[in-house]
Amino acid sequence: MAAANRANVFTACQKIVKKHYESAGPDKRSILEQLVFSAILENAPRKVADEAFETLQKEYFDWNEVRVTSAAELMELFPKHPSGDAAAARVRLVLQNIFESIYGYDLESLKKGNQGKAVTTIEKYGATPFMLGYVTQHALGGHSIPIDRSLLNLMFVLGGITDKDLEKQTIPGMERAIPKTKGVEFSDMIHELAVDFQMAPFSKKIRDLLLEISPDAKSRFPKRVSEEPAVEAAADDSASKKSAPKKGATKKEAPATKPAKSAAPKKAAKPEPVKKKTTTKATPKKTTTAPKKSSTKITKKKPK
């Protein structure tokens, strides 16, 4: 993809997104609070992230109490989050790594040192690229636009990145096309559009907005999952029609089995009386043998 095409997509995003979204402005929280907030904001609307962050501060005494809380319990505090389980896991991970590293949660000293060293330190705490970009932009004074999965998918549909860029999770040229003075504003607005598209990819309003930015984006729109089952259902209907004669054959075979059942009473024609007759025949045979023995005894007496 040519660099000029990328730049055109980014520039068009900056112009058109202003018509539909607003920026929240610079984040004045501490570095630690920005890390926790960005962990929640990743792949989620800002309004949802704001509510979840406020809930954490109200429900827990300090960040150490949040750290020792299970991810399942934290997830219950994010009911509106599109991926609350992942957000809770990110919050716990970064707090745990920070505590194990400095046995506290004060990171403000990172603002005074070298920016590159501060970025490396935050990476070691388990910050995702989105979290790292957010803190770099709002706390460290750098020009780094936060990138999460929703923004990657949006830029791919708009034609701002290629398949390889999507796999590498990078958006080359975006920070060069967007000036540093507009970095925070652009990041806030494009993030909201990306999340809206992620949550409602088939919304006509969202798709019309994307086509306004990039007219050829229609060829890269995601397809509905229901379209494939419809094709399979049509195939099943045709297969069922072909197999219809077989079902009729089974119905014809059904009467053939009925005579077999009717033959059962013929076999049950009470063979017991016959057995009784045979037994009666056996008894006279025994009586006939008895007189033969008596006759032999009489013949022996005559010679005497």
Side-chain angles (χ1 to χ4, degrees):
M1 181 180 294
N5 294 337
R6 293 177 184 271
N8 292 336
V9 172
F10 302 144
T11 303
C13 286
Q14 184 180 15
K15 292 180 180 179
I16 296 173
V17 171
K18 288 182 180 181
K19 303 176 184 178
H20 305 275
Y21 297 94
E22 296 180 357
S23 172
D27 190 342
K28 300 299 183 180
R29 300 183 182 97
S30 65
I31 294 180
L32 176 68
E33 291 173 340
Q34 288 181 10
L35 278 173
V36 174
F37 177 75
S38 60
I40 304 172
L41 180 64
E42 186 168 342
N43 296 314
R46 175 171 288 274
K47 182 178 180 181
V48 172
D50 286 334
E51 292 177 358
F53 185 81
E54 291 177 3
T55 301
L56 284 179
Q57 291 183 315
K58 291 179 181 179
E59 295 294 329
Y60 295 96
F61 177 74
D62 56 13
W63 294 115
N64 192 62
E65 188 177 357
V66 176
R67 176 183 67 86
V68 298
T69 304
S70 66
E73 293 177 349
L74 290 179
M75 184 180 65
E76 294 178 356
L77 302 179
F78 311 152
K80 298 180 181 180
H81 200 289
S83 55
D85 54 345
R90 288 191 294 267
V91 170
R92 288 192 73 255
L93 178 63
V94 71
L95 290 176
Q96 182 66 31
N97 291 339
I98 292 172
F99 181 79
E100 292 179 354
S101 179
I102 62 175
Y103 299 102
Y105 300 101
D106 187 3
L107 303 177
E108 294 305 297
S109 60
L110 295 176
K111 294 180 180 180
K112 301 177 182 179
N114 180 271
Q115 180 177 323
K117 185 177 180 181
V119 169
T120 302
T121 302
I122 295 173
E123 284 180 331
K124 293 180 180 179
Y125 294 153
T128 64
F130 180 86
M131 297 165 62
L132 185 62
Y134 187 90
V135 174
T136 300
Q137 184 182 70
H138 289 275
L140 303 180
H143 182 38
S144 178
I145 297 175
I147 299 174
D148 57 6
R149 173 55 60 178
S150 62
L151 184 58
L152 288 168
N153 293 336
L154 174 67
M155 287 301 168
F156 175 77
V157 171
L158 293 175
I161 61 175
T162 62
D163 295 334
K164 294 182 179 179
D165 297 330
L166 186 62
E167 293 177 359
K168 295 178 181 179
Q169 300 184 9
T170 59
I171 306 179
M174 184 169 61
E175 292 170 358
R176 291 194 300 270
I178 306 301
K180 182 179 179 180
T181 55
K182 300 294 183 180
V184 173
E185 179 186 48
F186 175 78
S187 298
D188 287 350
M189 295 185 297
I190 200 65
H191 174 77
E192 292 301 304
L193 173 59
V195 172
D196 285 347
F197 178 62
Q198 173 183 262
M199 299 178 66
F202 306 110
S203 169
K204 185 179 183 302
K205 180 180 179 181
I206 299 299
R207 290 196 170 195
D208 289 344
L209 197 158
L210 299 187
L211 291 174
E212 187 178 356
I213 297 173
S214 178
D216 64 342
K218 186 175 181 180
S219 61
R220 293 180 293 272
F221 281 161
K223 297 180 180 180
R224 292 183 181 274
V225 180
S226 59
E227 292 179 358
E228 295 180 1
V231 176
E232 294 178 0
D236 293 340
D237 292 340
S238 61
S240 61
K241 290 179 181 179
K242 292 180 181 179
S243 61
K246 294 182 180 180
K247 293 182 179 179
T250 56
K251 291 181 180 179
K252 291 179 181 179
E253 291 175 358
T257 57
K258 289 182 180 179
K261 293 181 180 179
S262 62
K266 291 183 180 179
K267 292 182 180 180
K270 290 185 180 181
E272 295 179 356
V274 179
K275 291 181 180 180
K276 289 180 180 180
K277 290 180 181 179
T278 55
T279 54
T280 53
K281 289 181 181 180
T283 51
K285 286 182 181 180
K286 292 181 180 179
T287 55
T288 53
T289 54
K292 286 181 180 180
K293 292 181 180 179
S294 61
S295 61
T296 53
K297 291 181 181 180
I298 296 170
T299 53
K300 287 181 181 180
K301 291 178 180 181
K302 286 181 180 182
K304 292 179 179 181

